[in-house]
Amino acid sequence: MTPKSGLFLACSCIAAIAAVGSIFELSSGQPDLGTQNTAIILALSIPLTGLFFFAAVKDAKANMNK
């Protein structure tokens, strides 16, 4: 693993944690940041999780052959 792929993987983990936290906040009924802000965080964090994970795997695979 390179530092770049490690950074992508860390960002993917942070985005996944934000998504799970947003789901719990929205299911509680009264999100701390408000419903709209929490929904926006959820809507952004789900695709970012996948994109960062894909980028981490792609970078790691590209550097395995070097």
Side-chain angles (χ1 to χ4, degrees):
M1 179 173 7
T2 64
K4 184 178 173 184
S5 62
L7 179 65
F8 284 144
L9 193 57
C11 290
S12 176
C13 291
I14 291 169
I17 291 168
V20 171
S22 296
I23 291 170
F24 279 112
E25 282 286 320
L26 287 170
S27 67
S28 74
Q30 279 295 7
D32 291 339
L33 298 176
T35 303
Q36 184 178 8
N37 289 341
T38 306
I40 291 170
I41 293 169
L42 177 62
L44 291 175
S45 62
I46 290 174
L48 283 177
T49 300
L51 288 174
F52 280 130
F53 186 77
F54 179 74
V57 170
K58 186 176 178 182
D59 184 64
K61 280 185 179 182
N63 289 308
M64 279 179 38
N65 298 331
K66 290 183 180 181

